[in-house]
Amino acid sequence: KSSSEFDDLEIEKKLRSINKPAVKIIKTIHGEQYGCVDFFKQPAFDHPSLKNHTYHYKMRPVWNGMREKKKNNTANRFGYLWENGVGCPIGTVPIKRVTKEELLRLNSFEDNYKPRGSWNTTAYDPNNDVHSDQLHFAVARTPNTGMSFNGATMELCITAPKVQPTQFSHSRLHIQMGDDFIQMGAAVNPILYKDNLPRSFVYTKAGAKSCYNSLCDVGMISVRQDIPLGLVLEPISHRGAKRSYYATFGLIKDQANGNWWFEFDSGAEEIGFWPAKFFGQSSGNEVEWGGEVNSASLPGPEMGYGIFPYLDMRFDAYIKRISILDANFKFDDKVDYLDSFSDDNRGYKVLDELHSGFPEAGHIIFYGGPGLDT
């Protein structure tokens, strides 16, 4: 698409909608710039449905079930992520500053670069050459049988798969709500983040709009002044080491009002939420956990550790202690009805283990692969 005057105006308008006026600019310990934006001036508040909202920066889930699950933690325990040791001032939230070049780079990729669920993906058929999809999956997923879900959680092994500049490799939790969905997890995504480090991300599709993190008005509304989206997930696990490292993610619907909350870390820290009115339906109808990669060029990107899984937590990328919040708002940590799906076993595989040799890991999913070279 050529860059006409109209395109330039659109880009400038989009930049203004993302880079809201900041009280101050702060840097993470990795050098990225974030604007401390007034809570009420986040991009999501441009959404037409939020004209008369009553949200505020001290907002937290109302439903007791979420408050009971949360552990007591001291405030501002994520100050170490920032050069200033604190984060943003109270009443503001950190939103990454985006340059025109970064936005053009993101916009230059067509719809087939955007994340999605695996359910409409056809598996590779050696007798059919028309497997041109650039997105590939190795996931465990709920069957499409009319079930209803109000949340899901996971403990995700942090890996740093190798990717080319125009590829991504995501390890994520995905909840589908009709045509809409939310994803969250770890992304190695040079187009989004300009490096090859695993970073936290969310991706939202609501109606005709979709975006990463807070890059549009259906993005997440942040409630924390010290935890940004896009933070580097450290330490990184190394295959074969005696210890691996994981991060805890949860996407939970507040029973009291239908808002969806992003909970992070072992203390179930509430990072932000999506208003119920963003989405066309109130509950999820499908959930999946696992890897999603984009092979915009060949050889394809690695997934996990870049090797096929062997059912061993020391040597495999894994997602452990998965659970779902069912239609009755009860947590189910067995989830004993999943299907395994990889659309192309030549590059990526998944092994779903309800009863693994690692009892403390609960229901565990092993996944990964070296990528496709053809």
Side-chain angles (χ1 to χ4, degrees):
K1 194 175 180 181
S2 63
S3 184
S4 66
E5 186 179 351
F6 174 75
D7 291 331
D8 282 343
L9 287 171
E10 283 293 303
I11 288 288
E12 293 300 331
K13 183 180 175 186
K14 176 91 170 161
L15 276 174
R16 283 196 301 275
S17 73
I18 297 168
N19 294 329
K20 300 289 190 180
V23 173
K24 66 192 293 189
I25 304 292
I26 61 173
K27 282 187 178 180
T28 68
I29 54 175
H30 292 278
E32 302 104 349
Q33 287 194 335
Y34 281 75
C36 295
V37 175
D38 184 295
F39 172 83
F40 299 104
K41 296 195 169 122
Q42 296 182 63
F45 286 115
D46 292 338
H47 195 276
S49 70
L50 298 187
K51 281 204 169 14
N52 299 307
H53 71 87
T54 55
Y55 302 141
H56 52 89
Y57 73 89
K58 289 185 178 176
M59 252 186 83
R60 295 297 182 270
V62 180
W63 175 45
N64 283 335
M66 292 175 78
R67 294 210 300 268
E68 286 163 8
K69 193 167 180 280
K70 186 174 168 59
K71 300 171 187 172
N72 289 324
N73 288 287
T74 53
N76 200 25
R77 51 189 290 259
F78 289 87
Y80 70 88
L81 297 169
W82 304 97
E83 281 186 356
N84 66 10
V86 180
C88 284
I90 289 173
T92 68
V93 296
I95 296 181
K96 191 171 184 299
R97 307 310 269 181
V98 177
T99 66
K100 184 175 182 180
E101 290 68 34
E102 288 168 333
L103 194 59
L104 285 168
R105 197 166 64 238
L106 268 173
N107 281 8
S108 68
F109 288 86
E110 302 299 331
D111 282 355
N112 60 8
Y113 189 78
K114 295 177 179 177
R116 65 166 194 257
S118 70
W119 290 275
N120 292 327
T121 303
T122 52
Y124 168 74
D125 179 355
N127 300 314
N128 182 359
D129 291 337
V130 192
H131 191 69
S132 58
D133 205 327
Q134 294 180 3
L135 289 176
H136 299 289
F137 303 88
V139 298
R141 64 189 188 184
T142 57
N144 189 1
T145 53
M147 298 178 77
S148 184
F149 305 100
N150 290 310
T153 70
M154 66 176 179
E155 293 178 357
L156 173 67
C157 175
I158 304 304
T159 62
K162 293 183 176 63
V163 306
Q164 303 295 327
T166 58
Q167 302 171 341
F168 68 64
S169 185
H170 294 174
S171 302
R172 84 295 187 269
L173 156 67
H174 176 113
I175 296 187
Q176 190 78 27
M177 296 170 264
D179 291 331
D180 302 334
F181 66 82
I182 300 173
Q183 283 192 7
M184 59 176 54
V188 176
N189 189 329
I191 288 176
L192 183 63
Y193 293 127
K194 292 198 300 189
D195 61 26
N196 284 53
L197 295 170
R199 293 173 177 271
S200 67
F201 85 100
V202 300
Y203 190 87
T204 314
K205 182 191 177 298
K209 296 181 180 177
S210 62
C211 66
Y212 285 98
N213 300 340
S214 304
L215 292 177
C216 68
D217 65 5
V218 298
M220 189 190 81
I221 298 174
S222 182
V223 298
R224 290 289 294 250
Q225 78 268 21
D226 59 339
I227 310 179
L229 290 168
L231 67 90
V232 178
L233 296 169
E234 296 176 308
I236 295 168
S237 302
H238 295 282
R239 184 170 185 260
K242 288 182 179 175
R243 182 176 180 187
S244 60
Y245 301 93
Y246 64 87
T248 305
F249 293 83
L251 178 56
I252 304 292
K253 190 173 86 175
D254 189 341
Q255 187 176 13
N257 51 36
N259 296 335
W260 291 86
W261 282 85
F262 174 16
E263 295 187 339
F264 178 70
D265 201 47
S266 57
E269 302 282 350
E270 287 108 4
I271 309 300
F273 69 98
W274 294 259
K277 57 182 74 171
F278 278 7
F279 304 105
Q281 68 181 50
S282 59
S283 294
N285 49 288
E286 294 165 319
V287 184
E288 68 180 20
W289 298 259
E292 176 181 1
V293 301
N294 181 281
S295 302
S297 57
L298 292 174
E302 292 181 350
M303 182 187 289
Y305 284 133
I307 54 100
F308 294 129
Y310 291 90
L311 299 177
D312 191 322
M313 286 180 71
R314 270 186 70 177
F315 295 93
D316 294 348
Y318 61 78
I319 298 172
K320 66 185 177 80
R321 291 174 61 85
I322 68 164
S323 75
I324 60 105
L325 187 63
D326 68 16
N328 300 311
F329 285 87
K330 304 290 185 200
F331 278 99
D332 171 12
D333 58 7
K334 287 195 175 60
V335 203
D336 57 2
Y337 46 80
L338 298 185
D339 297 328
S340 299
F341 174 76
S342 169
D343 66 291
D344 200 330
N345 279 322
R346 299 174 305 161
Y348 310 102
K349 293 181 181 177
V350 60
L351 300 169
D352 179 33
E353 286 293 302
L354 183 57
H355 306 291
S356 71
F358 307 92
E360 77 290 348
H363 187 155
I364 186 167
I365 298 158
F366 302 100
Y367 67 101
L372 295 162
D373 53 13
T374 58

